[in-house]
Each structure stands twice: as C-alpha cells, then as structure tokens.
Amino acid sequence: FMSDSSYLTDSSEIVGYVDEIGRLTQWLLEDKQERTLIAIFGMGGLGKTTIASSVYKNQNITRTFNCNAWVTVSQTYQVEELLREIINQLIDQRASMASGFMTMNRMRLVEAIQSYLLDKKYFIVLDDVWDKDAWLFLNYAFARNNCGSKVLITTRRKDVSCLAVDHYTIELKTLQYAESWELFCKKAFRASKDSQCPENLRFFAEKIVARCQGLPLAIVTIGSTLSYREFEEQGWESFYSQLSWQLANNPE
C-alpha cells in the first residue's frame, strides 16, 4: 500500500517539510468547487509518499470528504488492476465482489467508478506515478462534478507533475545539513535523552550524515540501523568504511 518512503508515519517526526505539509493541507481544505489535481514532485527517497501519507491519515482532512482511496501506481501498473483497487477502496470489498467488478473490462470499470463518484466529494491519492498515460483513464473515471474533490499525485517526473495546473505543485528538495543531522539523531539516538549524539561518536556520525546527501530515506534507514548498535567508536568507524565501500562499488 505504501511505496519507497513509508518509513515515517508520525508527522511529528517529519523534519524539514513543515511548510510543504502546511501548504498541502491548505489546498486540500480549500473550498473550491471544481476538482483540483495536486502534485508532489522530487527524486526517489525524498519523502513524497511520507508527506502524502501524513495528510491522508489526518482525520481533520479526510472527514471533509465523502470517500477516499490510495493506490500505488508504480512503473509496472495495469490499468484494470488500478481501477479495481480504487473500486475496492471506495465501495467495500464484499460489495465490489458481489457486483462482478473482478471480471469487468477497462471501460466498464471506468464507468462504474464514474457513476459512483458522480455526486461525491472524493479524495484520491495516486502514489508513485511514472507516466502521464496512467492519468488518461483515471482522469476520465474521476468524475469532474464540482463537489470540491481533490486528487493528489506523487511523482519523480517533472512532466507528470505538470498535470497539476496553476500553482498546485510541491517540489521537494534534499534536506539541508542541519535538518539531516536532526533527523539522523532522532533515529540513531532515540533511546538517549533528547536524542543527543554522544561525543565519542560525533566525528563518524557527521561523516555518515554527510554521506546521505540530504536524502531522508537514506538518513532514516541508516539512523535506524545504527540505533541497534553499541555506542562505541570502533563499530561506527567500521560501519562508515563499509558504507563508503558500498557507495563506491554498488551504485544501487
């Protein structure tokens, strides 16, 4: 259900994107009749899914809509599967099984979603969209009914983010060093008071954070891994050398 960055669920732990979440919340609560398409755009590992998830899980936001759905599109999507998944989430699964949606073709599915959404204010998240073609069918399925509906897309691709008209795009950049450090300490030293870095580890901790190049996914993954290690310099030094070796020899 979540894609590459479902590593943060508690929005209080999202570092560096407070303004972006504020802007997104404002757009979702905006009292605008026509359907609004919003895009969050940026490279992999920046936390696009995390930010989308923080608003999707916010009941103050979701309760302003009649129904909502979240689908991960990805590079290998099948239109029929996406449409069925959306139906399953909008209408409960038992009802959709009983209505024969499992065997319907693409156009019938599009029409079924369209007629269900016709009189509803809906909020749908399309996570990790890689090409504009995915939107062609969905655009047709998501009724433009002037009920104030919102569609939120997360994408790594600039051309996909351009589907969101006007100013409804949030572009994520890598974190500044200070934000990277704060996020790393919250993860690596979560057991210690105020998540402070012990002095003996500071040298290697700083080198490790610099290696993460401001990517939240890298910082959180590495910080969480290190939180289970002993706080002794030698172990952290060998972790740093291993990390550097991996980055030099294994582009993945």
Side-chain angles (χ1 to χ4, degrees), residues 231-248:
F231 288 172
E232 45 127 66
E233 205 171 330
Q234 203 179 351
W236 280 54
E237 181 178 5
S238 71
F239 182 90
Y240 173 69
S241 340
Q242 200 182 352
L243 180 67
S244 297
W245 186 90
Q246 286 287 352
L247 289 171

Side-chain angles (χ1 to χ4, degrees), residues 9-42:
T9 43
D10 174 7
S11 56
S12 68
E13 286 197 12
I14 297 177
V15 173
Y17 294 140
V18 177
D19 295 347
E20 286 81 354
I21 290 171
R23 207 172 347 143
L24 190 53
T25 302
Q26 196 182 337
W27 292 343
L28 290 169
L29 296 176
E30 204 171 48
D31 198 15
K32 182 174 166 230
Q33 289 315 291
E34 66 261 39
R35 186 192 70 193
T36 309
L37 179 60
I38 301 165
I40 304 176
F41 159 62

Side-chain angles (χ1 to χ4, degrees), residues 16-241:
Y17 294 140
V18 177
D19 295 347
E20 286 81 354
I21 290 171
R23 207 172 347 143
L24 190 53
T25 302
Q26 196 182 337
W27 292 343
L28 290 169
L29 296 176
E30 204 171 48
D31 198 15
K32 182 174 166 230
Q33 289 315 291
E34 66 261 39
R35 186 192 70 193
T36 309
L37 179 60
I38 301 165
I40 304 176
F41 159 62
M43 62 191 280
L46 281 179
K48 298 179 295 295
T49 302
T50 305
I51 291 174
S53 170
S54 79
V55 293
Y56 191 76
K57 289 177 178 171
N58 182 330
Q59 291 185 339
N60 294 330
I61 294 171
T62 47
R63 73 162 67 101
T64 67
F65 296 93
N66 303 130
C67 55
N68 47 283
W70 174 302
V71 283
T72 299
V73 181
S74 79
Q75 279 175 290
T76 54
Y77 72 93
Q78 303 268 260
V79 173
E80 287 81 358
E81 280 176 29
L82 283 183
L83 295 168
R84 287 192 188 101
E85 180 56 33
I86 290 164
I87 288 176
N88 282 340
Q89 289 188 38
L90 292 173
I91 309 165
D92 76 65
Q93 211 153 357
R94 283 189 309 278
S96 78
M97 297 282 275
S99 315
F101 290 126
M102 299 320 283
T103 54
M104 275 185 189
N105 68 21
R106 190 177 292 191
M107 283 322 292
R108 293 284 308 282
L109 289 164
V110 164
E111 285 160 12
I113 293 174
Q114 205 177 41
S115 66
Y116 181 77
L117 293 177
L118 210 52
D119 57 350
K120 295 184 178 62
K121 179 181 180 182
Y122 57 84
F123 173 30
I124 297 176
V125 178
L126 303 174
D127 188 33
D128 201 23
V129 178
W130 282 78
D131 71 68
K132 289 158 91 166
D133 293 350
W135 176 239
L136 294 174
F137 280 94
L138 298 173
N139 183 25
Y140 189 60
F142 300 163
R144 305 185 78 145
N145 53 13
N146 289 335
C147 295
S149 300
K150 306 284 190 285
V151 178
L152 174 59
I153 284 177
T154 76
T155 183
R156 302 174 188 209
R157 305 226 354 207
K158 179 94 176 163
D159 61 330
V160 173
S161 74
C162 292
L163 291 166
V165 288
D166 304 332
H167 57 282
Y168 291 103
T169 304
I170 289 172
E171 183 176 352
L172 298 187
K173 304 274 202 270
T174 51
L175 296 178
Q176 301 292 324
Y177 184 80
E179 295 166 338
S180 298
W181 178 253
E182 183 191 339
L183 181 57
F184 177 78
C185 290
K186 277 188 170 176
K187 291 293 170 187
F189 310 117
R190 57 185 170 210
S192 52
K193 188 179 182 296
D194 301 333
S195 304
Q196 288 293 318
C197 173
E199 274 313 308
N200 66 321
L201 298 181
R202 195 169 186 100
F203 177 75
F204 288 107
E206 286 179 350
K207 284 170 95 72
I208 289 166
V209 171
R211 271 288 190 190
C212 293
Q213 298 180 327
L215 278 177
L217 183 60
I219 295 163
V220 167
T221 308
I222 289 169
S224 302
T225 305
L226 285 166
S227 69
Y228 296 104
R229 294 205 158 210
E230 295 294 321
F231 288 172
E232 45 127 66
E233 205 171 330
Q234 203 179 351
W236 280 54
E237 181 178 5
S238 71
F239 182 90
Y240 173 69
S241 340

